[in-house]
Amino acid sequence: MSIVPNHARDRMKAGGLALGLGVHHLRTAATGMLGEAAGFDWLFIDAEHGAFSEDQATQIALAALPTRGTPIVRVCKGARDQAPRVLDNGAMGVVIPHVDTAAEAAAVVDACKYPPVGHRSLGGPPAQARFAAMPAGELMAALNEQLLTIVMIETPLAVENAEAIAAVKGVDVLLIGTSDLTAEMGIPGQLGHERVKAAYAAVIAACRRHGKFAGMGGVYDEENARAYIGMGMQFILSGSDHGLLMPALKGRTGFLRGLSPG
């Protein structure tokens, strides 16, 4: 039996963009199907800022596995015990925020990858292997390959250490959290600032040198998204459920109220 494919990873390996839907308020088994129907490649199930329990996050992940909306869960920085549990129960990747140093990145890998890359414990055949029994070595190697370990770059210190972080074996994606990065730089919301552009260039260059994927979050306007994708960003958080829903809701009420004579 084969491992469930990681469509986000496959898109990037082919040189394309992996587009992610931020999931904060969608809580049903239909979430992955909705993402797939809209053309997203992965779900960003946010257990850092969203109030998801492990059970809720993994139920959404399990339901998304048969779709092309690959489920990926963000946990809190200090929740490295939670990361392997969501990976054991349907997630095809995990995002750890606020990783500032190579030592922190190595600790993430230690928790999220099986030996010989890390020291994650094997809990038996998971849903990502369709619950089929496989030789342990074969299963761990396949899961190490398919399940993405993603670290977030959100401070000037992390940017400074991007080269060393990208060099850590087992890290798959360096994801810039642009909103937090601009806040830490003292230029909140200035997404196109020259210091931000320089940070993007540094992270992308580090990823290229070490065979990692570069990711972008918090950039949704056309001008800056075009610029940073043109520089080499591939793993793209493309918007959140509520952020995308609100303009459509406001557009609908505005249209209907505009038809009223009163």
Side-chain angles (χ1 to χ4, degrees):
M1 295 293 291
S2 62
I3 303 298
V4 171
N6 189 317
H7 301 291
R9 175 181 170 276
D10 292 346
R11 284 273 196 185
M12 294 188 291
K13 284 181 70 68
L17 301 181
L19 303 180
L21 171 62
V23 179
H24 292 255
H25 301 289
L26 292 174
R27 300 296 174 102
T28 75
T31 305
M33 297 172 68
L34 290 167
E36 177 184 51
F40 290 99
D41 304 299
W42 56 282
L43 303 179
F44 183 74
I45 303 167
D46 192 357
E48 181 192 21
H49 293 301
F52 287 101
S53 67
E54 284 181 21
D55 180 63
Q56 289 173 319
T58 57
Q59 290 300 317
I60 293 169
L62 287 165
L65 283 178
T67 77
R68 296 188 67 84
T70 294
I72 294 172
V73 178
R74 176 164 69 175
V75 300
C76 295
K77 177 177 181 176
R80 284 199 296 268
D81 58 335
Q82 186 182 35
R85 286 202 295 274
V86 298
L87 291 171
D88 280 346
N89 290 282
M92 292 294 294
V94 65
V95 178
I96 307 293
H98 310 293
V99 173
D100 289 330
T101 67
E104 290 179 349
V108 170
V109 171
D110 192 66
C112 295
K113 296 290 191 186
Y114 294 111
V117 182
H119 292 91
R120 180 178 161 203
S121 174
L122 181 63
Q128 300 95 322
R130 300 178 173 88
F131 298 111
M134 297 171 62
E138 179 183 338
L139 176 62
M140 290 189 290
L143 291 170
N144 275 350
E145 176 73 13
Q146 288 291 330
L147 305 187
L148 293 173
T149 299
I150 302 151
V151 298
M152 293 197 71
I153 306 297
E154 300 183 274
T155 66
L157 177 60
V159 174
E160 182 181 330
N161 290 326
E163 185 78 27
I165 292 170
V168 174
K169 183 179 180 181
V171 168
D172 299 301
V173 180
L174 275 66
L175 171 61
I176 296 179
T178 319
S179 295
D180 280 353
L181 179 60
T182 60
E184 293 281 350
M185 287 179 164
I187 50 172
Q190 297 184 46
L191 304 178
H193 194 282
E194 290 304 315
R195 291 171 62 197
V196 180
K197 292 178 182 177
Y200 267 74
V203 171
I204 291 167
C207 287
R208 285 176 173 162
R209 280 191 288 269
H210 295 283
K212 307 302 170 67
F213 299 114
M216 174 175 80
V219 178
Y220 308 123
D221 67 289
E222 184 173 344
E223 179 182 355
N224 287 307
R226 185 187 303 276
Y228 294 140
I229 289 172
M231 289 170 64
M233 285 291 162
Q234 288 186 270
F235 188 75
I236 312 298
L237 179 55
S238 309
S240 64
D241 47 16
H242 56 278
L244 294 168
L245 181 62
M246 287 302 293
L249 294 173
K250 290 180 178 180
R252 175 54 51 174
T253 57
F255 163 69
L256 291 172
R257 291 194 189 282
L259 301 179
S260 171

mmCIF file of all heavy atoms in Angstrom, residues 2-51:
data_model
loop_
_atom_site.group_PDB
_atom_site.id
_atom_site.type_symbol
_atom_site.label_atom_id
_atom_site.label_comp_id
_atom_site.label_asym_id
_atom_site.label_seq_id
_atom_site.Cartn_x
_atom_site.Cartn_y
_atom_site.Cartn_z
ATOM 1 N N SER A 2 0.418 2.295 -0.672
ATOM 2 C CA SER A 2 1.187 3.532 -0.754
ATOM 3 C C SER A 2 0.666 4.550 0.257
ATOM 4 O O SER A 2 -0.449 4.451 0.762
ATOM 5 C CB SER A 2 1.097 4.112 -2.162
ATOM 6 O OG SER A 2 -0.251 4.425 -2.478
ATOM 7 N N ILE A 3 1.495 5.566 0.519
ATOM 8 C CA ILE A 3 1.103 6.673 1.379
ATOM 9 C C ILE A 3 0.191 7.612 0.589
ATOM 10 O O ILE A 3 0.359 7.793 -0.619
ATOM 11 C CB ILE A 3 2.354 7.420 1.869
ATOM 12 C CG1 ILE A 3 3.307 6.462 2.590
ATOM 13 C CG2 ILE A 3 1.973 8.586 2.765
ATOM 14 C CD1 ILE A 3 2.733 5.823 3.826
ATOM 15 N N VAL A 4 -0.778 8.206 1.256
ATOM 16 C CA VAL A 4 -1.625 9.209 0.618
ATOM 17 C C VAL A 4 -0.725 10.311 0.059
ATOM 18 O O VAL A 4 0.174 10.795 0.750
ATOM 19 C CB VAL A 4 -2.620 9.801 1.650
ATOM 20 C CG1 VAL A 4 -3.362 11.000 1.060
ATOM 21 C CG2 VAL A 4 -3.608 8.736 2.107
ATOM 22 N N PRO A 5 -0.921 10.719 -1.195
ATOM 23 C CA PRO A 5 -0.027 11.741 -1.764
ATOM 24 C C PRO A 5 -0.192 13.090 -1.090
ATOM 25 O O PRO A 5 -1.285 13.468 -0.674
ATOM 26 C CB PRO A 5 -0.454 11.801 -3.236
ATOM 27 C CG PRO A 5 -1.848 11.265 -3.271
ATOM 28 C CD PRO A 5 -1.921 10.240 -2.174
ATOM 29 N N ASN A 6 0.921 13.806 -1.006
ATOM 30 C CA ASN A 6 0.919 15.168 -0.478
ATOM 31 C C ASN A 6 0.883 16.104 -1.683
ATOM 32 O O ASN A 6 1.902 16.362 -2.324
ATOM 33 C CB ASN A 6 2.172 15.416 0.370
ATOM 34 C CG ASN A 6 2.114 16.723 1.120
ATOM 35 O OD1 ASN A 6 1.705 17.737 0.570
ATOM 36 N ND2 ASN A 6 2.540 16.710 2.378
ATOM 37 N N HIS A 7 -0.314 16.602 -2.003
ATOM 38 C CA HIS A 7 -0.487 17.381 -3.230
ATOM 39 C C HIS A 7 0.278 18.701 -3.168
ATOM 40 O O HIS A 7 0.759 19.186 -4.206
ATOM 41 C CB HIS A 7 -1.972 17.612 -3.483
ATOM 42 C CG HIS A 7 -2.753 16.347 -3.628
ATOM 43 N ND1 HIS A 7 -2.613 15.495 -4.707
ATOM 44 C CD2 HIS A 7 -3.669 15.753 -2.813
ATOM 45 C CE1 HIS A 7 -3.407 14.455 -4.572
ATOM 46 N NE2 HIS A 7 -4.052 14.584 -3.422
ATOM 47 N N ALA A 8 0.395 19.296 -1.990
ATOM 48 C CA ALA A 8 1.158 20.530 -1.866
ATOM 49 C C ALA A 8 2.626 20.284 -2.201
ATOM 50 O O ALA A 8 3.249 21.031 -2.965
ATOM 51 C CB ALA A 8 1.018 21.092 -0.453
ATOM 52 N N ARG A 9 3.169 19.242 -1.639
ATOM 53 C CA ARG A 9 4.565 18.887 -1.913
ATOM 54 C C ARG A 9 4.772 18.581 -3.387
ATOM 55 O O ARG A 9 5.757 19.027 -4.000
ATOM 56 C CB ARG A 9 4.951 17.686 -1.054
ATOM 57 C CG ARG A 9 6.330 17.115 -1.307
ATOM 58 C CD ARG A 9 6.574 15.910 -0.407
ATOM 59 N NE ARG A 9 7.791 15.203 -0.776
ATOM 60 C CZ ARG A 9 7.852 14.281 -1.740
ATOM 61 N NH1 ARG A 9 6.773 13.948 -2.422
ATOM 62 N NH2 ARG A 9 9.000 13.684 -2.012
ATOM 63 N N ASP A 10 3.854 17.824 -3.979
ATOM 64 C CA ASP A 10 3.993 17.464 -5.388
ATOM 65 C C ASP A 10 3.951 18.692 -6.291
ATOM 66 O O ASP A 10 4.686 18.776 -7.285
ATOM 67 C CB ASP A 10 2.891 16.482 -5.788
ATOM 68 C CG ASP A 10 3.054 15.120 -5.128
ATOM 69 O OD1 ASP A 10 4.143 14.846 -4.578
ATOM 70 O OD2 ASP A 10 2.084 14.337 -5.136
ATOM 71 N N ARG A 11 3.076 19.646 -5.965
ATOM 72 C CA ARG A 11 3.008 20.889 -6.742
ATOM 73 C C ARG A 11 4.355 21.602 -6.715
ATOM 74 O O ARG A 11 4.854 22.095 -7.736
ATOM 75 C CB ARG A 11 1.946 21.806 -6.158
ATOM 76 C CG ARG A 11 0.522 21.420 -6.486
ATOM 77 C CD ARG A 11 0.085 22.009 -7.801
ATOM 78 N NE ARG A 11 -1.366 21.963 -7.930
ATOM 79 C CZ ARG A 11 -2.008 22.324 -9.030
ATOM 80 N NH1 ARG A 11 -1.336 22.760 -10.075
ATOM 81 N NH2 ARG A 11 -3.322 22.251 -9.097
ATOM 82 N N MET A 12 4.935 21.704 -5.532
ATOM 83 C CA MET A 12 6.197 22.434 -5.406
ATOM 84 C C MET A 12 7.346 21.694 -6.075
ATOM 85 O O MET A 12 8.198 22.315 -6.719
ATOM 86 C CB MET A 12 6.488 22.701 -3.931
ATOM 87 C CG MET A 12 5.489 23.658 -3.289
ATOM 88 S SD MET A 12 5.940 24.181 -1.614
ATOM 89 C CE MET A 12 5.728 22.646 -0.693
ATOM 90 N N LYS A 13 7.384 20.382 -5.936
ATOM 91 C CA LYS A 13 8.441 19.605 -6.578
ATOM 92 C C LYS A 13 8.388 19.742 -8.088
ATOM 93 O O LYS A 13 9.423 19.651 -8.770
ATOM 94 C CB LYS A 13 8.352 18.135 -6.165
ATOM 95 C CG LYS A 13 8.860 17.862 -4.757
ATOM 96 C CD LYS A 13 8.781 16.395 -4.407
ATOM 97 C CE LYS A 13 9.789 15.562 -5.170
ATOM 98 N NZ LYS A 13 11.185 15.846 -4.767
ATOM 99 N N ALA A 14 7.186 19.972 -8.627
ATOM 100 C CA ALA A 14 7.029 20.169 -10.066
ATOM 101 C C ALA A 14 7.321 21.608 -10.479
ATOM 102 O O ALA A 14 7.204 21.953 -11.659
ATOM 103 C CB ALA A 14 5.616 19.780 -10.495
ATOM 104 N N GLY A 15 7.676 22.464 -9.508
ATOM 105 C CA GLY A 15 8.018 23.838 -9.797
ATOM 106 C C GLY A 15 6.866 24.814 -9.708
ATOM 107 O O GLY A 15 7.022 25.997 -10.039
ATOM 108 N N GLY A 16 5.702 24.350 -9.261
ATOM 109 C CA GLY A 16 4.525 25.202 -9.204
ATOM 110 C C GLY A 16 4.262 25.765 -7.823
ATOM 111 O O GLY A 16 5.061 25.619 -6.891
ATOM 112 N N LEU A 17 3.107 26.418 -7.710
ATOM 113 C CA LEU A 17 2.668 27.002 -6.451
ATOM 114 C C LEU A 17 1.754 26.031 -5.722
ATOM 115 O O LEU A 17 0.879 25.414 -6.336
ATOM 116 C CB LEU A 17 1.904 28.306 -6.696
ATOM 117 C CG LEU A 17 2.624 29.429 -7.431
ATOM 118 C CD1 LEU A 17 1.692 30.633 -7.536
ATOM 119 C CD2 LEU A 17 3.927 29.789 -6.752
ATOM 120 N N ALA A 18 1.932 25.928 -4.406
ATOM 121 C CA ALA A 18 1.014 25.188 -3.548
ATOM 122 C C ALA A 18 0.196 26.221 -2.783
ATOM 123 O O ALA A 18 0.725 26.929 -1.927
ATOM 124 C CB ALA A 18 1.782 24.288 -2.592
ATOM 125 N N LEU A 19 -1.086 26.320 -3.106
ATOM 126 C CA LEU A 19 -1.954 27.356 -2.555
ATOM 127 C C LEU A 19 -2.737 26.824 -1.365
ATOM 128 O O LEU A 19 -3.424 25.804 -1.472
ATOM 129 C CB LEU A 19 -2.916 27.860 -3.632
ATOM 130 C CG LEU A 19 -2.261 28.407 -4.909
ATOM 131 C CD1 LEU A 19 -3.326 28.876 -5.889
ATOM 132 C CD2 LEU A 19 -1.271 29.524 -4.594
ATOM 133 N N GLY A 20 -2.641 27.529 -0.228
ATOM 134 C CA GLY A 20 -3.267 27.067 1.002
ATOM 135 C C GLY A 20 -4.428 27.931 1.436
ATOM 136 O O GLY A 20 -4.405 29.156 1.279
ATOM 137 N N LEU A 21 -5.449 27.286 1.981
ATOM 138 C CA LEU A 21 -6.621 27.953 2.534
ATOM 139 C C LEU A 21 -6.518 27.961 4.047
ATOM 140 O O LEU A 21 -6.461 26.899 4.688
ATOM 141 C CB LEU A 21 -7.900 27.220 2.111
ATOM 142 C CG LEU A 21 -9.209 27.679 2.787
ATOM 143 C CD1 LEU A 21 -9.512 29.133 2.453
ATOM 144 C CD2 LEU A 21 -10.360 26.768 2.375
ATOM 145 N N GLY A 22 -6.482 29.151 4.640
ATOM 146 C CA GLY A 22 -6.446 29.263 6.088
ATOM 147 C C GLY A 22 -7.787 28.876 6.693
ATOM 148 O O GLY A 22 -8.822 29.418 6.320
ATOM 149 N N VAL A 23 -7.775 27.924 7.627
ATOM 150 C CA VAL A 23 -9.002 27.401 8.227
ATOM 151 C C VAL A 23 -9.051 27.822 9.688
ATOM 152 O O VAL A 23 -8.253 27.362 10.516
ATOM 153 C CB VAL A 23 -9.068 25.861 8.099
ATOM 154 C CG1 VAL A 23 -10.338 25.323 8.747
ATOM 155 C CG2 VAL A 23 -8.998 25.442 6.637
ATOM 156 N N HIS A 24 -9.985 28.718 9.996
ATOM 157 C CA HIS A 24 -10.194 29.190 11.363
ATOM 158 C C HIS A 24 -11.597 28.840 11.856
ATOM 159 O O HIS A 24 -11.778 28.467 13.001
ATOM 160 C CB HIS A 24 -10.017 30.712 11.454
ATOM 161 C CG HIS A 24 -8.620 31.178 11.229
ATOM 162 N ND1 HIS A 24 -7.805 31.609 12.246
ATOM 163 C CD2 HIS A 24 -7.879 31.268 10.096
ATOM 164 C CE1 HIS A 24 -6.620 31.962 11.751
ATOM 165 N NE2 HIS A 24 -6.649 31.763 10.445
ATOM 166 N N HIS A 25 -12.585 29.002 10.979
ATOM 167 C CA HIS A 25 -13.980 28.889 11.391
ATOM 168 C C HIS A 25 -14.720 27.735 10.720
ATOM 169 O O HIS A 25 -15.761 27.313 11.218
ATOM 170 C CB HIS A 25 -14.714 30.205 11.118
ATOM 171 C CG HIS A 25 -14.104 31.365 11.837
ATOM 172 N ND1 HIS A 25 -14.190 31.531 13.210
ATOM 173 C CD2 HIS A 25 -13.360 32.410 11.392
ATOM 174 C CE1 HIS A 25 -13.543 32.625 13.564
ATOM 175 N NE2 HIS A 25 -13.031 33.171 12.476
ATOM 176 N N LEU A 26 -14.217 27.237 9.616
ATOM 177 C CA LEU A 26 -14.819 26.049 9.012
ATOM 178 C C LEU A 26 -14.510 24.852 9.903
ATOM 179 O O LEU A 26 -13.347 24.596 10.211
ATOM 180 C CB LEU A 26 -14.262 25.814 7.611
ATOM 181 C CG LEU A 26 -14.645 26.831 6.536
ATOM 182 C CD1 LEU A 26 -13.906 26.543 5.235
ATOM 183 C CD2 LEU A 26 -16.153 26.812 6.285
ATOM 184 N N ARG A 27 -15.530 24.123 10.302
ATOM 185 C CA ARG A 27 -15.312 23.056 11.290
ATOM 186 C C ARG A 27 -15.910 21.719 10.871
ATOM 187 O O ARG A 27 -16.023 20.828 11.687
ATOM 188 C CB ARG A 27 -15.945 23.461 12.642
ATOM 189 C CG ARG A 27 -15.385 24.750 13.248
ATOM 190 C CD ARG A 27 -13.914 24.586 13.589
ATOM 191 N NE ARG A 27 -13.311 25.830 14.044
ATOM 192 C CZ ARG A 27 -13.057 26.119 15.308
ATOM 193 N NH1 ARG A 27 -13.365 25.266 16.251
ATOM 194 N NH2 ARG A 27 -12.489 27.259 15.618
ATOM 195 N N THR A 28 -16.280 21.541 9.608
ATOM 196 C CA THR A 28 -16.968 20.320 9.220
ATOM 197 C C THR A 28 -16.099 19.454 8.321
ATOM 198 O O THR A 28 -15.058 19.878 7.820
ATOM 199 C CB THR A 28 -18.280 20.637 8.481
ATOM 200 O OG1 THR A 28 -17.974 21.071 7.149
ATOM 201 C CG2 THR A 28 -19.077 21.712 9.208
ATOM 202 N N ALA A 29 -16.582 18.238 8.092
ATOM 203 C CA ALA A 29 -15.881 17.309 7.214
ATOM 204 C C ALA A 29 -15.847 17.786 5.770
ATOM 205 O O ALA A 29 -15.069 17.265 4.964
ATOM 206 C CB ALA A 29 -16.564 15.933 7.286
ATOM 207 N N ALA A 30 -16.645 18.788 5.443
ATOM 208 C CA ALA A 30 -16.675 19.302 4.072
ATOM 209 C C ALA A 30 -15.532 20.263 3.780
ATOM 210 O O ALA A 30 -15.350 20.668 2.627
ATOM 211 C CB ALA A 30 -18.003 20.012 3.807
ATOM 212 N N THR A 31 -14.721 20.616 4.773
ATOM 213 C CA THR A 31 -13.713 21.663 4.603
ATOM 214 C C THR A 31 -12.731 21.326 3.487
ATOM 215 O O THR A 31 -12.437 22.157 2.619
ATOM 216 C CB THR A 31 -12.959 21.912 5.916
ATOM 217 O OG1 THR A 31 -13.917 22.214 6.948
ATOM 218 C CG2 THR A 31 -11.990 23.053 5.782
ATOM 219 N N GLY A 32 -12.196 20.119 3.491
ATOM 220 C CA GLY A 32 -11.259 19.718 2.447
ATOM 221 C C GLY A 32 -11.906 19.700 1.078
ATOM 222 O O GLY A 32 -11.287 20.093 0.071
ATOM 223 N N MET A 33 -13.149 19.255 1.000
ATOM 224 C CA MET A 33 -13.859 19.222 -0.282
ATOM 225 C C MET A 33 -14.092 20.628 -0.810
ATOM 226 O O MET A 33 -13.960 20.886 -2.015
ATOM 227 C CB MET A 33 -15.187 18.484 -0.119
ATOM 228 C CG MET A 33 -15.037 17.020 0.270
ATOM 229 S SD MET A 33 -16.616 16.241 0.683
ATOM 230 C CE MET A 33 -17.415 16.248 -0.921
ATOM 231 N N LEU A 34 -14.427 21.569 0.097
ATOM 232 C CA LEU A 34 -14.619 22.951 -0.320
ATOM 233 C C LEU A 34 -13.306 23.540 -0.833
ATOM 234 O O LEU A 34 -13.274 24.234 -1.862
ATOM 235 C CB LEU A 34 -15.146 23.783 0.851
ATOM 236 C CG LEU A 34 -16.585 23.501 1.286
ATOM 237 C CD1 LEU A 34 -16.864 24.160 2.637
ATOM 238 C CD2 LEU A 34 -17.571 24.004 0.238
ATOM 239 N N GLY A 35 -12.221 23.271 -0.109
ATOM 240 C CA GLY A 35 -10.925 23.759 -0.558
ATOM 241 C C GLY A 35 -10.547 23.202 -1.910
ATOM 242 O O GLY A 35 -10.057 23.928 -2.791
ATOM 243 N N GLU A 36 -10.765 21.921 -2.099
ATOM 244 C CA GLU A 36 -10.460 21.279 -3.375
ATOM 245 C C GLU A 36 -11.291 21.884 -4.497
ATOM 246 O O GLU A 36 -10.774 22.198 -5.584
ATOM 247 C CB GLU A 36 -10.732 19.779 -3.278
ATOM 248 C CG GLU A 36 -10.516 19.026 -4.584
ATOM 249 C CD GLU A 36 -10.882 17.555 -4.456
ATOM 250 O OE1 GLU A 36 -12.005 17.262 -3.984
ATOM 251 O OE2 GLU A 36 -10.052 16.710 -4.816
ATOM 252 N N ALA A 37 -12.589 22.073 -4.257
ATOM 253 C CA ALA A 37 -13.480 22.610 -5.286
ATOM 254 C C ALA A 37 -13.068 24.019 -5.700
ATOM 255 O O ALA A 37 -13.265 24.423 -6.854
ATOM 256 C CB ALA A 37 -14.920 22.614 -4.782
ATOM 257 N N ALA A 38 -12.490 24.772 -4.757
ATOM 258 C CA ALA A 38 -12.065 26.142 -5.047
ATOM 259 C C ALA A 38 -10.657 26.209 -5.640
ATOM 260 O O ALA A 38 -10.192 27.288 -5.993
ATOM 261 C CB ALA A 38 -12.137 26.986 -3.781
ATOM 262 N N GLY A 39 -9.969 25.065 -5.725
ATOM 263 C CA GLY A 39 -8.652 25.039 -6.346
ATOM 264 C C GLY A 39 -7.478 25.159 -5.401
ATOM 265 O O GLY A 39 -6.336 25.332 -5.850
ATOM 266 N N PHE A 40 -7.707 25.037 -4.094
ATOM 267 C CA PHE A 40 -6.602 25.071 -3.139
ATOM 268 C C PHE A 40 -5.912 23.711 -3.091
ATOM 269 O O PHE A 40 -6.535 22.668 -3.291
ATOM 270 C CB PHE A 40 -7.104 25.449 -1.747
ATOM 271 C CG PHE A 40 -7.558 26.882 -1.638
ATOM 272 C CD1 PHE A 40 -8.899 27.210 -1.713
ATOM 273 C CD2 PHE A 40 -6.635 27.903 -1.475
ATOM 274 C CE1 PHE A 40 -9.324 28.526 -1.621
ATOM 275 C CE2 PHE A 40 -7.043 29.224 -1.380
ATOM 276 C CZ PHE A 40 -8.394 29.542 -1.449
ATOM 277 N N ASP A 41 -4.621 23.741 -2.779
ATOM 278 C CA ASP A 41 -3.822 22.517 -2.711
ATOM 279 C C ASP A 41 -3.659 22.000 -1.293
ATOM 280 O O ASP A 41 -3.325 20.833 -1.108
ATOM 281 C CB ASP A 41 -2.426 22.768 -3.300
ATOM 282 C CG ASP A 41 -2.490 23.287 -4.716
ATOM 283 O OD1 ASP A 41 -3.027 22.570 -5.577
ATOM 284 O OD2 ASP A 41 -2.025 24.418 -4.959
ATOM 285 N N TRP A 42 -3.849 22.868 -0.302
ATOM 286 C CA TRP A 42 -3.676 22.439 1.088
ATOM 287 C C TRP A 42 -4.524 23.292 2.011
ATOM 288 O O TRP A 42 -4.926 24.404 1.664
ATOM 289 C CB TRP A 42 -2.207 22.474 1.504
ATOM 290 C CG TRP A 42 -1.472 23.772 1.355
ATOM 291 C CD1 TRP A 42 -0.973 24.313 0.206
ATOM 292 C CD2 TRP A 42 -1.124 24.694 2.403
ATOM 293 N NE1 TRP A 42 -0.341 25.510 0.465
ATOM 294 C CE2 TRP A 42 -0.410 25.765 1.805
ATOM 295 C CE3 TRP A 42 -1.328 24.706 3.782
ATOM 296 C CZ2 TRP A 42 0.077 26.843 2.545
ATOM 297 C CZ3 TRP A 42 -0.837 25.784 4.520
ATOM 298 C CH2 TRP A 42 -0.143 26.827 3.894
ATOM 299 N N LEU A 43 -4.809 22.724 3.168
ATOM 300 C CA LEU A 43 -5.525 23.416 4.231
ATOM 301 C C LEU A 43 -4.544 23.810 5.322
ATOM 302 O O LEU A 43 -3.724 22.998 5.740
ATOM 303 C CB LEU A 43 -6.601 22.515 4.846
ATOM 304 C CG LEU A 43 -7.668 21.926 3.939
ATOM 305 C CD1 LEU A 43 -8.613 21.045 4.763
ATOM 306 C CD2 LEU A 43 -8.434 23.012 3.200
ATOM 307 N N PHE A 44 -4.662 25.057 5.789
ATOM 308 C CA PHE A 44 -3.848 25.545 6.899
ATOM 309 C C PHE A 44 -4.751 25.549 8.127
ATOM 310 O O PHE A 44 -5.383 26.541 8.459
ATOM 311 C CB PHE A 44 -3.344 26.947 6.563
ATOM 312 C CG PHE A 44 -2.433 27.568 7.591
ATOM 313 C CD1 PHE A 44 -1.124 27.140 7.729
ATOM 314 C CD2 PHE A 44 -2.867 28.624 8.370
ATOM 315 C CE1 PHE A 44 -0.268 27.741 8.642
ATOM 316 C CE2 PHE A 44 -2.023 29.225 9.282
ATOM 317 C CZ PHE A 44 -0.727 28.786 9.426
ATOM 318 N N ILE A 45 -4.872 24.402 8.782
ATOM 319 C CA ILE A 45 -5.761 24.243 9.934
ATOM 320 C C ILE A 45 -5.053 24.872 11.135
ATOM 321 O O ILE A 45 -4.071 24.336 11.646
ATOM 322 C CB ILE A 45 -6.074 22.756 10.166
ATOM 323 C CG1 ILE A 45 -6.690 22.145 8.896
ATOM 324 C CG2 ILE A 45 -7.023 22.585 11.354
ATOM 325 C CD1 ILE A 45 -6.762 20.622 8.901
ATOM 326 N N ASP A 46 -5.552 26.014 11.574
ATOM 327 C CA ASP A 46 -4.797 26.867 12.486
ATOM 328 C C ASP A 46 -5.179 26.631 13.940
ATOM 329 O O ASP A 46 -6.134 27.207 14.460
ATOM 330 C CB ASP A 46 -5.003 28.329 12.117
ATOM 331 C CG ASP A 46 -4.030 29.250 12.833
ATOM 332 O OD1 ASP A 46 -3.240 28.745 13.665
ATOM 333 O OD2 ASP A 46 -4.042 30.460 12.554
ATOM 334 N N ALA A 47 -4.396 25.790 14.607
ATOM 335 C CA ALA A 47 -4.612 25.524 16.029
ATOM 336 C C ALA A 47 -3.764 26.436 16.908
ATOM 337 O O ALA A 47 -3.747 26.262 18.130
ATOM 338 C CB ALA A 47 -4.306 24.062 16.346
ATOM 339 N N GLU A 48 -3.084 27.416 16.284
ATOM 340 C CA GLU A 48 -2.399 28.444 17.081
ATOM 341 C C GLU A 48 -3.363 29.594 17.364
ATOM 342 O O GLU A 48 -3.587 29.963 18.509
ATOM 343 C CB GLU A 48 -1.163 28.982 16.363
ATOM 344 C CG GLU A 48 -0.434 30.033 17.212
ATOM 345 C CD GLU A 48 0.621 30.818 16.461
ATOM 346 O OE1 GLU A 48 0.580 30.880 15.212
ATOM 347 O OE2 GLU A 48 1.491 31.399 17.130
ATOM 348 N N HIS A 49 -3.941 30.171 16.322
ATOM 349 C CA HIS A 49 -4.857 31.300 16.487
ATOM 350 C C HIS A 49 -6.323 30.884 16.428
ATOM 351 O O HIS A 49 -7.184 31.603 16.931
ATOM 352 C CB HIS A 49 -4.579 32.370 15.441
ATOM 353 C CG HIS A 49 -3.246 33.043 15.617
ATOM 354 N ND1 HIS A 49 -2.904 33.711 16.764
ATOM 355 C CD2 HIS A 49 -2.178 33.140 14.793
ATOM 356 C CE1 HIS A 49 -1.677 34.191 16.649
ATOM 357 N NE2 HIS A 49 -1.209 33.847 15.462
ATOM 358 N N GLY A 50 -6.616 29.764 15.812
ATOM 359 C CA GLY A 50 -7.978 29.233 15.839
ATOM 360 C C GLY A 50 -8.168 28.384 17.082
ATOM 361 O O GLY A 50 -7.219 27.790 17.599
ATOM 362 N N ALA A 51 -9.401 28.318 17.562
ATOM 363 C CA ALA A 51 -9.685 27.585 18.810
ATOM 364 C C ALA A 51 -10.026 26.130 18.514
ATOM 365 O O ALA A 51 -11.069 25.610 18.909
ATOM 366 C CB ALA A 51 -10.828 28.263 19.567
#
